[in-house]
Amino acid sequence: MSDIRRRAVYSRIMTTLDGEYVPSTMEWVRDQIDLYERSGGREGNTLRDSGIPVIVVTMRGAKTGAVRKIALMRVEHDGAYALVASKGGHDSNPDWYRNLTVHPEEVLVQDGPDPFPVTVREVDGNEYDTWWERSVAVFPTYLEYRAKTARRIPILVAEPR
Ligand code: F42
């Protein structure tokens, strides 16, 4: 492959995932993602009227292989992002948790005008505690979600590639 072709393929991989985009079945999430993407992150960038910023995460479905998107709270530190699989304190992990653990390299984060590629990994131990504190500092409601469920809320960290 020529350098020019390789660069073209690489830059395409950098900002999109190939495949059919199948939007979330949750209307308010789907609408928020649409608005965020259409406006390049200028609108739809907070959780409802809370004023707390959100990001958009694009991934590959673990079973269907479809392109999936979610909105999440923006918990950023030194260019990395915590993806907190809280699902409102529900007793099961969100579907996206499995997607990200099965396809950790096929992930984009959008925090502003353009999405960029990240690698995702689950954190544990002291690293978990540190990211949990950062997450609660941004969105204290995570404490209520933790109190509601017996499961340990997973935290994945997304690092730019
Ligand atoms: N959710 C969080 O868990 N944490 C947050 O911090 C958070 C913040 C947030 C802010 C704004 C906002 O608009 C939404 C926010 N949400 C937050 C909600 C989040 O965006 C998700 O909607 C929520 O966590 C539920 O995720 P879910 O993946 O469980 O979504 C379900 C309801 C859903 O829509 N599923 C799709 C569907 O069609 O039913 C996709 C299913 C899917 O991904 N399937 C995979 C596939 O292969 O295509 C297979 C999955 C498997 O289990 O193997």
Side-chain angles (χ1 to χ4, degrees), residues 9-132:
V9 169
Y10 187 58
S11 70
R12 186 171 58 83
I13 290 168
M14 296 288 279
T15 55
T16 63
L17 290 187
D18 287 337
E20 185 196 357
Y21 168 40
V22 181
S24 169
T25 48
M26 296 167 83
E27 192 182 0
W28 67 278
V29 177
R30 193 169 66 228
D31 290 350
Q32 171 146 37
I33 291 165
D34 285 350
L35 183 58
Y36 191 106
E37 290 188 323
R38 255 189 291 121
S39 67
R42 287 190 313 278
E43 295 174 54
N45 53 18
T46 65
L47 176 66
R48 300 196 177 102
D49 54 2
S50 68
I52 305 175
V54 304
I55 58 171
V56 170
V57 181
T58 300
M59 71 201 77
R60 174 93 47 218
K63 288 184 201 144
T64 61
V67 176
R68 301 287 196 179
K69 298 184 186 193
I70 52 165
L72 290 180
M73 307 317 297
R74 180 184 184 278
V75 180
E76 186 273 346
H77 182 81
D78 282 352
Y81 296 81
L83 315 178
V84 182
S86 55
K87 199 180 175 182
H90 199 274
D91 274 334
S92 61
N93 287 330
D95 293 339
W96 61 260
Y97 168 73
R98 218 174 93 75
N99 296 340
L100 292 178
T101 49
V102 171
H103 297 294
E105 306 241 329
E106 289 196 274
V107 188
L108 306 170
V109 163
Q110 187 167 355
D111 178 23
D114 299 306
F116 52 89
V118 293
T119 301
V120 169
R121 63 189 173 85
E122 186 163 355
V123 290
D124 231 318
N126 290 342
E127 211 182 357
Y128 180 98
D129 296 341
T130 302
W131 279 105
W132 176 256

